[in-house]
Amino acid sequence: MPRRRCATLFVVIALTFACRTPLPPPAVSGSAVRQVDRDLLDVTVERLHRFYDQKTYTVTQVVRWHLDRIDRYNGVYGAVETVFRDDAVALAVRLDADAFKGGTATSRGPLWGVPIVVKANTSVRGYVTTAGWSGFTRPSYELVAPEDATIVTKLRSAGAVILGHTNMPDLAASDTNRSSSFGRTGNAYDVRFSPGGSSGGSATAVAANFGVLGNGTDTGNSIRMPAATSALVGVFPTRGLVSIAGIVPLDWLLDNTGPIARTVTDAAVALSVMAGEDALDARTRDIPPAAQRPPYERYLKAATLKGRRFGVPPFILAGEGTYFHGIPSAVPPEVADRLRQAAHVSLNRDTRDMFMKAVEMLRATGADVVSDDAILPVEFARAATRIATYAYVRDGTDRFLARFGPPAYQSAEAYRKAVGVPLFASSIGSEGAFRRLGGLEIEQRSFDTDPAAERDYHAPRRAALAAYQEPLDRLKLDGYVYPAIQMPPPDETMPQDGRLSEGPHSATSWVNMLGVPAIVVPAGFYASGLPFGLEFSGHPWKDGDLLTIAYAWEQATRLRRPPVLVEQGLLPTTPARVR
């Protein structure tokens, strides 16, 4: 749709909507246009529902306002790869018609009329699931989703309006956000800088008010890193709480999905919608009876940090970490440790300073922050590194394609035969850096039938989980606290270490290896004006408690401020595809 002046846009909306439903929208004047900007910028789900109930705005008006934001700014920030314009507007009109049947917006659905975005690896029926990779957009071989991902079905049932697919790096295999199918996503706070990957498109879209909420996926840090760089709340649920069925895998044993939001309350509402058992994801069928379940908003009441206890993991501050995908037991310990240390990412001095300020703020709220070398020491990082998953990445890809692939290819091998070239290396286990470790050649195998799975995955995961839980129990900790990433977002107009930046980076992939819950919250701004994010991780299946902590922090500090967008930038991207 061509760009229009705001006043003209809203007159067109009013006329169109009046022809389709009996409720006339509010008259729109120049002052009203300014008012709608004030009302909808950084609007929360609760406030949006209040506008609907008071008939201040219709769903059609709200959806078109967000679409206009995308039209105006997406050419600079590159957050949305594909805009679902016609479907979004048509659904908004139907929702407005349904509003006359009575009830409140919330009673019609917890996300009723809420414009959202979903990451481009998340299947939306009838649209190309690019996963950021040009190989899924080849003419005649596009990965057109035959059905919705499970979380998309849940979001639709809750009344959400999906505006589009957000940009991401190829198959989510990067800490930055540049894709071969679309281009680059810039940080909403300064387009020259990276939002981080691989959910940077969703993060920039939510921060820039292209949608109220978004989903991210996270295999090593990919919800939490972009949330940290963009002053947002990013939730990594306990793995198994939310289904990943219908999401293109990077490493399905590490993958997870969760909400990205501007407030903890909105994140809790979204997580409540997304959570639950799913026959298509076996891990969701193992939710224990003691797990905290939706609605998660109830955990936010009377939240306080006074008396809470948190431990600081020393291995993160030391720049130690785990090796992505892990290292099988057949690799000798000394070789495994060399590989792990080679992947170290030092903690930037400015980031350490920001973290120490956050610790002092925590203490000022009445929380106790424990720093002790025995709390998740380097030995924990070594143990987590032995949770080896790379032998099963193609298995995950084949599982996804069997259900969510197009008729032309429903396995990695079928893709190769149909197209004449293999799938992206990270999705079939053919990357040299991970396939060959210390003289060991890692062959792709079926997870369910591989006798080595107990030795290389299940047993080390149980051991690392026990090591994670031990300090929590011994010291009566509510969770761990640490910087979400190891450095500020890099300036992608300038070479870093002699090449285009591949960061920012984090030391938090151990969260994925264990599958424990974690959440990132806004925690201030660097002198540059770029955001700093603080991460908490907690007890498995106690996701409600973790949201309580995040909400208490948010209410005590109120450190988030919205970005100021620009209409011209140094690094323009390809215009979004529109369907």
Side-chain angles (χ1 to χ4, degrees), residues 198-285:
S198 63
S199 304
S202 288
T204 294
V206 173
N209 281 264
F210 295 173
V212 176
L213 293 163
N215 87 298
T217 64
D218 193 318
T219 312
N221 52 41
S222 292
I223 289 172
R224 295 161 290 144
M225 174 190 292
T229 70
S230 304
L232 296 171
V233 177
V235 179
F236 182 99
T238 301
R239 178 64 185 96
L241 183 67
V242 177
S243 172
I244 62 168
I247 295 174
V248 181
L250 172 55
D251 182 333
W252 67 293
L253 294 174
L254 304 178
D255 292 341
N256 204 354
T257 186
I260 293 176
R262 293 187 290 262
T263 69
V264 176
T265 301
D266 280 1
V269 172
L271 183 62
S272 296
V273 169
M274 297 166 74
E277 297 174 4
D278 177 21
L280 298 180
D281 184 344
R283 290 177 77 168
T284 67
R285 300 197 296 269

Side-chain angles (χ1 to χ4, degrees), residues 406-451:
Y409 51 90
Q410 295 187 330
S411 69
E413 179 60 17
Y415 181 94
R416 187 191 64 79
K417 289 180 178 178
V419 181
V421 295
L423 281 171
F424 196 69
S426 68
S427 64
I428 57 175
S430 62
E431 301 161 287
F434 297 112
R435 187 176 61 182
R436 300 181 186 90
L437 297 177
L440 177 69
E441 183 86 13
I442 298 177
E443 298 178 354
Q444 292 299 299
R445 303 186 291 274
S446 169
F447 181 70
D448 290 341
T449 59
D450 182 22

Side-chain angles (χ1 to χ4, degrees), residues 233 262-265 521 549-559:
V233 177
R262 293 187 290 262
T263 69
V264 176
T265 301
V521 289
I549 291 165
Y551 182 75
W553 167 268
E554 176 187 69
Q555 298 305 302
T557 60
R558 298 186 180 274
L559 292 172

Side-chain angles (χ1 to χ4, degrees), residues 454-507:
E454 171 62 26
R455 179 180 67 246
D456 286 339
Y457 176 77
H458 293 295
R461 184 168 178 267
R462 287 194 297 269
L465 267 171
Y468 173 88
Q469 191 70 45
E470 190 275 334
L472 292 175
D473 296 337
R474 174 170 48 86
L475 299 174
K476 294 181 171 51
L477 301 177
D478 294 282
Y480 299 106
V481 62
Y482 43 91
I485 55 178
Q486 299 293 94
M487 62 195 69
D491 182 347
E492 292 188 308
T493 68
M494 301 292 290
Q496 317 286 325
D497 301 322
R499 63 184 187 275
L500 193 62
S501 170
E502 297 172 355
H505 300 293
S506 81

Side-chain angles (χ1 to χ4, degrees), residues 166 198 243 261-262 317 372 389 406 436 525 533 568:
T166 56
S198 63
S243 172
R262 293 187 290 262
L317 300 189
D372 188 315
T389 60
R436 300 181 186 90
F525 292 83
Q568 294 182 355

